[in-house]
Amino acid sequence: MIVLELAEYSDVALFLLRIWIAILFGTSGWAHARNPRERGESVGLPPGPTFVLGIVELAAALLLVIGFWDQVAALALILVMLGAIRKKALVWKTGFWGEGATGWYYEVLYLLCALVILTTSGGSIGLD
């Protein structure tokens, strides 16, 4: 390792990653759950599944913040991102980079962040 002393902060880095991902998905989930009809139209889903999507995102965000069942939360978010990537890439035929931030590269990034949380159990900071 280049800077060995930084390894002792990996739990802090994982905690910050969890908080950031929780903010991203929590705000998205809140918007989906609060206004499922309008949000559903924007993502091509009926209001019912949009509401459920919002609840899943909110629950995962809460679990990541408190550090409880981090892997379950991360797995749920990976599935959400796989659905978003599928929708953008295969249904909407959006390219990876898209136009005007409409590509699916952010979804891949969020999926990889959730994969880091899944494979590291989110670090040792939290209730688990």
Side-chain angles (χ1 to χ4, degrees):
M1 183 169 270
I2 295 173
V3 183
L4 191 57
E5 295 81 26
L6 292 178
E8 67 188 72
Y9 297 106
S10 61
D11 286 327
V12 173
L14 288 168
F15 174 70
L16 292 174
L17 178 65
R18 285 187 359 236
I19 295 301
W20 180 246
I21 294 299
I23 290 169
L24 290 170
F25 282 98
T27 56
S28 172
W30 176 251
H32 281 90
R34 186 174 48 107
N35 195 349
R37 184 168 313 282
E38 182 180 311
R39 292 290 291 190
E41 288 174 6
S42 72
V43 296
L45 289 174
T50 302
F51 180 77
V52 171
L53 173 64
I55 296 302
V56 168
E57 288 178 331
L58 282 170
L62 177 64
L63 290 173
L64 289 177
V65 166
I66 65 174
F68 186 69
W69 286 357
D70 296 318
Q71 290 179 307
V72 171
L75 183 59
L77 296 178
I78 287 170
L79 294 174
V80 167
M81 287 298 90
L82 286 172
I85 291 167
R86 181 197 155 282
K87 178 73 92 169
K88 282 188 168 185
L90 302 178
V91 176
W92 294 343
K93 308 285 189 222
T94 305
F96 182 73
W97 296 109
E99 294 181 25
T102 59
W104 42 278
Y105 54 94
Y106 277 121
E107 287 79 3
V108 172
L109 177 61
Y110 300 153
L111 184 147
L112 292 173
C113 288
L115 183 63
V116 168
I117 295 167
L118 177 69
T119 59
T120 62
S121 298
S124 66
I125 299 173
L127 296 180
D128 273 357

